[in-house]
Amino acid sequence: MTMCHLPEQFITKMNALLQDEAERFFATYNEEKVHGLRVNTLKVSPSTFLNISPWELEPIPFCSTGFYYRDAQPGKHPYHAAGLYYIQEPSAMFVAEVLAPSSGERVLDLCAAPGGKTTQLAAMMNNEGFLLANEIHPKRVKALSENIERLGITNAVVTNETPEKLSETFEGFFDKILVDAPCSGEGMFRKDEEAIQFWSLDHVQKCAQTQKHILSCAYKMLNEGGTLVYSTCTFSPEENEQIIDWFLATYNDMELVPIEKEHGIQPGVVRWTNTYNEQIAHTARLWPHHLQGEGHFVAKMRKRGEAKRWNGKVATSNVSKAMQRDYETFINHIIQTTIGGTLYAFGTHIFALPYLCPRLDGLKVVRPGLHIGEWKKNRFEPNHALAMALTKQQVQAHLPLTLEESIRYIKGETLQTNGDRGWILITIDGYPLGWGKEVKGVVKNFYPKGLRIK
């Protein structure tokens, strides 16, 4: 890409904003875009993955689990299907690092699709606590749910709701909230030509209004003493420094928390605010001419006060005795571990709700926790999500596959064995790929048809 592909008004605006740095900034559009993957620590440690990685990797300095890769296609490897990593733009990895949730906390990712930051938050929480991943767009929420499933996440509920509707249910509920706001996408111009087609000065202003609305809803859902991180992948001050300046003026019990800035990360620019608010320097900007990545803005804020106890209603099990019986029969024969959470039935499907999950009445719920399986005519059939959340040590039987066999499995092919063990976990190098049902030496393939490769 060259500058001639960029909108003229964008070039004029960035020249005015960056002044002496503008030439270095625009020079990055003539460079190759960088690629990154983030190791999923719910399944494998970064050091172990480095030992088994088929590709040469270089650490991303501002994300302890992130790596740059070049001249590789990690999305086509069975390790990707096994959920060992998430392919993610490097600068985007910094956002969850700033929020830094802990095990057992109540966390919201309000604008979550396609799931890069959600899956990073879940790994940092070690699958413990309550994580709500929301996406307002129905088409994008499917990808979010699939990524949560692939990475073996068990403590997440996925909703397809408006911020207003969520704020009615979860007022003062969350310890930590991430608002990775929809934006004009200027930071993605180098990797996404489509973002350029949608850009205009008017679009920037419309995004800013949307961001204010979303932040107001997020504020309502944040517990006292809680942390709110706001981020965008755009350069516009109208959507970054000026939004935070407005938010702090509107909600005077919110305060900025300084973000540590190393490895080329820059402070927010005070002169780009309307009030010359010096606190804005506590925010962070990731620029492509200062580090290997695209563009991001990040602000970390805290609501003053002491955390209050939430007194809402917690979801309880609604599983029938018959469903419970057949579920337990399956679990006792196939699984060698306890499935945590509250059993909950959505029709004939059984889920494990995360610990202390609130009642979800009236919400558009896409995935209410871990999808364990489906009750079918007095028998229980496990879901792919359950396989992805297990290890080979947690099942009675598993079938290790070679790289070539794994590719065949992901294509949906039937496998041949010498056994007759019934339900078995299919693995590559010990990591789960999905279910198979072994009967008289033939393994029926239960890899989801919608995920199969050609």
Side-chain angles (χ1 to χ4, degrees):
M1 180 188 294
T2 59
M3 282 182 62
C4 65
H5 289 89
L6 298 171
E8 234 178 271
Q9 289 180 317
F10 173 73
I11 295 173
T12 300
K13 179 179 179 179
M14 295 309 296
N15 271 314
L17 288 172
L18 293 177
Q19 300 174 4
D20 294 343
E21 286 193 52
E23 185 175 349
R24 285 176 58 204
F25 169 76
F26 285 117
T28 64
Y29 288 93
N30 296 318
E31 299 171 0
E32 285 189 23
K33 58 187 178 184
V34 294
H35 303 277
L37 62 81
R38 179 177 44 76
V39 174
N40 177 21
T41 54
L42 294 174
K43 292 179 180 281
V44 62
S45 69
S47 58
T48 298
F49 185 73
L50 279 173
N51 289 332
I52 65 173
S53 172
W55 320 284
E56 186 176 338
L57 301 174
E58 177 189 341
I60 295 174
F62 45 82
C63 177
S64 59
T65 56
F67 296 91
Y68 296 107
Y69 68 87
R70 293 173 176 81
D71 302 320
Q73 294 181 307
K76 295 185 177 181
H77 196 282
Y79 284 165
H80 183 264
L84 299 194
Y85 50 82
Y86 188 98
I87 298 170
Q88 190 174 18
E89 194 281 307
S91 67
M93 300 179 191
F94 182 65
V95 178
E97 296 280 327
V98 172
L99 186 62
S102 302
S103 299
E105 289 186 316
R106 300 189 296 257
V107 180
L108 168 65
D109 188 352
L110 188 51
C111 313
K117 298 175 180 69
T118 297
T119 53
Q120 189 173 359
L121 296 173
M124 297 172 87
M125 296 170 73
N126 197 31
N127 261 342
E128 297 174 7
F130 177 78
L131 175 59
L132 180 65
N134 180 71
E135 175 54 47
I136 193 172
H137 298 289
K139 290 183 179 179
R140 287 168 55 81
V141 79
K142 181 181 178 184
L144 168 64
S145 185
E146 287 178 351
N147 281 321
I148 285 173
E149 175 180 278
R150 180 173 60 85
L151 271 68
I153 293 166
T154 63
N155 69 327
V157 169
V158 180
T159 54
N160 173 215
E161 273 298 352
T162 63
E164 308 96 290
K165 189 67 178 289
L166 288 181
S167 67
E168 293 170 6
T169 300
F170 296 103
E171 184 172 357
F173 178 76
F174 292 102
D175 302 308
K176 290 181 177 172
I177 296 177
L178 172 59
V179 176
D180 184 41
C183 66
S184 58
E186 295 168 356
M188 296 295 109
F189 281 2
R190 191 166 63 160
K191 62 173 286 188
D192 185 4
E193 296 255 358
E194 191 175 346
I196 297 174
Q197 307 305 315
F198 283 102
W199 187 88
S200 69
L201 293 175
D202 184 55
H203 183 51
V204 168
Q205 294 300 328
K206 287 180 179 177
C207 286
Q209 291 305 310
T210 300
Q211 291 151 6
K212 289 180 179 180
H213 173 68
I214 294 172
L215 273 174
S216 295
C217 293
Y219 170 84
K220 186 177 178 181
M221 290 185 275
L222 187 64
N223 195 357
E224 291 186 17
T227 300
L228 169 62
V229 166
Y230 172 84
S231 66
T232 71
C233 58
T234 198
F235 303 120
S236 291
E238 299 93 327
E239 302 174 69
N240 296 323
E241 286 91 348
Q242 291 173 26
I243 287 291
I244 299 305
D245 196 23
W246 164 85
F247 185 70
L248 295 173
T250 304
Y251 301 99
N252 56 19
D253 58 344
M254 296 295 298
E255 59 185 358
L256 275 168
V257 178
I259 296 173
E260 188 174 341
K261 301 170 187 70
E262 297 180 306
H263 313 296
I265 295 171
Q266 304 294 305
V269 183
V270 172
R271 71 176 185 275
W272 291 347
T273 64
N274 295 319
T275 63
Y276 208 82
N277 184 348
E278 293 186 358
Q279 295 295 305
I280 293 298
H282 290 327
T283 65
R285 274 187 173 268
L286 288 78
W287 294 96
H289 60 294
H290 283 288
L291 48 77
Q292 290 188 69
E294 303 303 324
H296 259 77
F297 172 86
V298 189
K300 182 177 185 178
M301 294 165 285
R302 179 184 176 274
K303 183 183 277 191
R304 297 185 184 93
E306 296 296 323
K308 293 181 179 179
R309 182 182 179 87
W310 186 73
N311 295 316
K313 294 182 179 179
V314 176
T316 55
S317 179
N318 65 345
V319 173
S320 69
K321 290 183 179 179
M323 294 175 79
Q324 179 89 25
R325 178 198 64 220
D326 294 329
Y327 161 78
E328 289 180 353
T329 297
F330 170 83
I331 292 297
N332 291 337
H333 282 84
I334 308 300
I335 310 294
Q336 295 189 127
T337 188
T338 301
I339 307 292
T342 302
L343 289 185
Y344 198 83
F346 268 46
T348 58
H349 293 265
I350 297 180
F351 290 79
L353 299 178
Y355 177 62
L356 289 183
C357 177
R359 291 186 57 169
L360 303 171
D361 303 343
L363 298 177
K364 295 177 185 175
V365 180
V366 176
R367 180 176 291 269
L370 174 63
H371 193 175
I372 301 175
E374 185 177 7
W375 190 53
K376 291 186 174 182
K377 297 179 181 178
N378 299 320
R379 64 182 175 85
F380 185 81
E381 184 173 294
N383 187 267
H384 181 66
L386 177 60
M388 302 309 293
L390 294 170
T391 66
K392 66 178 183 179
Q393 291 83 11
Q394 294 174 322
V395 294
Q396 298 285 1
H398 76 100
L399 178 63
L401 301 183
T402 64
L403 176 61
E404 182 182 347
E405 290 169 335
S406 297
I407 294 171
R408 287 172 49 208
Y409 172 75
I410 295 170
K411 288 181 177 180
E413 295 181 18
T414 300
L415 304 172
Q416 305 293 324
T417 65
N418 296 317
D420 191 20
R421 296 172 290 177
W423 288 103
I424 55 175
L425 188 68
I426 307 298
T427 64
I428 176 172
D429 295 337
Y431 303 105
L433 284 170
W435 293 110
K437 195 169 187 180
E438 185 184 55
V439 180
K440 296 180 180 179
V442 177
V443 179
K444 184 178 179 181
N445 194 319
F446 280 83
Y447 193 73
K449 292 181 180 179
L451 300 179
R452 293 177 182 179
I453 60 176
K454 296 180 180 180

